[in-house]
Amino acid sequence: MQKVGTYRLSFGLMALALVLSCLLNISSGSVNIPFADMWSILFGGTSEMDSWQYIIWEYRIPKALTAILVGGGLSLSGLLMQTLFRNPLAGPFVLGISSGASLGAALLLMGASLLTGMGTFSVLGNISMALAASIGSFLVLSVVMLVAQRVKDTMALLIIGLMFGSITSAIVSVLAYFSNAEQLQRFIFWSFGSVGNLHPNQIWLLGLIVLVGVVLSMISLKPLNAYLLGEHYAQSLGVSLKKSRLIIIVATGLLAGGITAFAGPIAFVGLAVPHLTRQIFDTMEHKILIPAVFLYGAILMLLCDMIAQLPNSANILPINAITALVGAPVVIWLLVRKRKMIF
């Protein structure tokens, strides 16, 4: 009973931290908007500058919502992979799904001369980018699902996923070698990751993808808890290894692939946040971990995006660099202080 009260308090504090992080994220940017004016605009009031209202509603709020979806979704996909493979170094990219999204984007941007797709990119912009990355991640996910039906050993599936990632990375390297400077620059900018380039319709679609991933994760609560003690133990509890593994892979594929398609390959969050959350909640129960990891990831991504936006400057640092620079020292400190690994 005492633990339940502690969990409720922790969730309450995390919800408050999420709201505060969201407000801080909306208040930061190249244009300095006083907090009082921002507050008035958010609640239907007016401000001295009409442009401030446009900036907040058309850019900053969609960017904050995207950061919540990206941070929460990647963190949850990392939790699923770490539990499935019982490996603390597993993340949302281990199955090669995000590498498939990168391959799709690379084929569009750097293989344009071979595929005659440059005109399509110039017309459709971010829509074609998200579509190409989604197709790439879906194709890799389909292959991984076919392999998962034939491979019984989960660790073998992990190795196969890493090999798929290596193959797609090799193809991207070949495309980069034959690309011109402009094509290569576009791909590099996409690989930096961004949460501020999505149209509202794309945010709705991303939200739907993340919602389906969360629902599939909640359906897999029993298998996830059982996997912590090994596949044989899970099977003894009546868990269908093949079915549960496919559901977890599909959930991870939707989360990691969909987010990579819309926001680019954002690293570190999916690997680190599950560890940080376990340190705070001190539990392995996924009924607690799934919502906690999602909230923690959303908070971290909001703060990292706020740091990436240099004050009073139009320049924005790569979100990939910020997530690693901010989060990695925290993970190192926590693991050294605890003096134990998670698994």
Side-chain angles (χ1 to χ4, degrees):
M1 196 67 183
Q2 185 177 1
K3 271 195 171 184
V4 173
T6 304
Y7 291 151
R8 287 177 179 173
L9 176 62
S10 299
F11 275 116
L13 292 175
M14 290 184 74
L16 178 62
L18 179 63
V19 173
L20 293 177
S21 300
C22 192
L23 291 175
L24 287 173
N25 185 278
I26 295 172
S27 66
S28 64
S30 58
V31 178
N32 183 26
I33 301 176
F35 195 83
D37 288 274
M38 185 199 76
W39 192 264
S40 175
I41 292 171
L42 288 176
F43 289 93
T46 58
S47 65
E48 298 178 2
M49 300 286 290
D50 293 335
S51 60
W52 289 352
Q53 187 166 350
Y54 178 84
I55 290 171
I56 289 178
W57 284 107
E58 299 298 326
Y59 179 72
R60 293 189 181 179
I61 289 179
K63 182 164 67 75
L65 292 175
T66 304
I68 291 172
L69 294 172
V70 169
L74 287 177
S75 302
L76 179 54
S77 63
L79 173 67
L80 296 178
M81 289 294 94
Q82 290 174 11
T83 302
L84 178 63
F85 296 116
R86 298 183 65 234
N87 188 332
L89 297 179
F93 304 144
V94 296
L95 293 179
I97 296 168
S98 293
S99 298
S102 298
L103 176 60
L107 286 171
L108 179 68
L109 294 175
M110 298 188 294
S113 57
L114 298 175
L115 302 176
T116 64
M118 199 63 189
T120 303
F121 175 75
S122 62
V123 172
L124 297 180
N126 290 337
I127 298 176
S128 63
M129 177 73 76
L131 181 61
S134 299
I135 292 173
S137 62
F138 176 76
L139 290 176
V140 174
L141 174 61
S142 300
V143 175
V144 170
M145 289 175 61
L146 290 174
V147 172
Q149 292 179 334
R150 294 179 174 271
V151 176
K152 295 182 179 180
D153 186 6
T154 302
M155 293 308 297
L157 180 61
L158 172 61
I159 296 173
I160 292 171
L162 293 174
M163 294 304 102
F164 277 124
S166 299
I167 292 171
T168 54
S169 297
I171 298 174
V172 171
S173 298
V174 172
L175 289 172
Y177 180 81
F178 288 104
S179 299
N180 59 43
E182 183 182 356
Q183 292 170 336
L184 191 58
Q185 185 182 45
R186 281 177 172 167
F187 180 75
I188 290 174
F189 280 137
W190 177 82
S191 67
F192 286 158
S194 174
V195 295
N197 296 326
L198 269 64
H199 188 272
N201 291 335
Q202 292 176 305
I203 297 176
W204 279 109
L205 181 56
L206 178 60
L208 179 61
I209 293 172
V210 172
L211 177 62
V212 174
V214 172
V215 171
L216 291 176
S217 302
M218 296 302 295
I219 292 174
S220 304
L221 280 176
K222 180 181 176 181
L224 286 169
N225 288 330
Y227 271 119
L228 293 172
L229 296 176
E231 292 185 351
H232 294 296
Y233 177 78
Q235 205 165 15
S236 68
L237 292 179
V239 174
S240 173
L241 298 183
K242 183 179 292 187
K243 180 181 177 181
S244 62
R245 192 164 59 178
L246 282 176
I247 293 175
I248 294 171
I249 290 173
V250 170
T252 304
L254 287 172
L255 291 169
I259 289 171
T260 304
F262 285 102
I266 298 176
F268 180 80
V269 176
L271 174 64
V273 171
H275 294 298
L276 296 172
T277 307
R278 292 190 193 98
Q279 300 282 4
I280 294 174
F281 282 83
D282 194 23
T283 182
M284 301 297 283
E285 171 60 54
H286 283 79
K287 185 177 181 180
I288 303 296
L289 284 178
I290 287 177
V293 163
F294 193 94
L295 285 173
Y296 204 131
I299 294 169
L300 180 63
M301 184 57 66
L302 284 168
L303 295 178
C304 287
D305 178 61
M306 185 179 65
I307 295 172
Q309 176 63 67
L310 298 175
N312 300 322
S313 171
N315 296 320
I316 301 176
L317 297 176
I319 193 70
N320 258 333
I322 300 302
T323 53
L325 288 173
V326 171
V330 177
V331 175
I332 294 172
W333 177 75
L334 283 172
L335 291 178
V336 170
R337 185 174 64 89
K338 285 284 185 178
R339 297 178 181 271
K340 67 178 182 179
M341 291 300 292
I342 301 302
F343 288 98

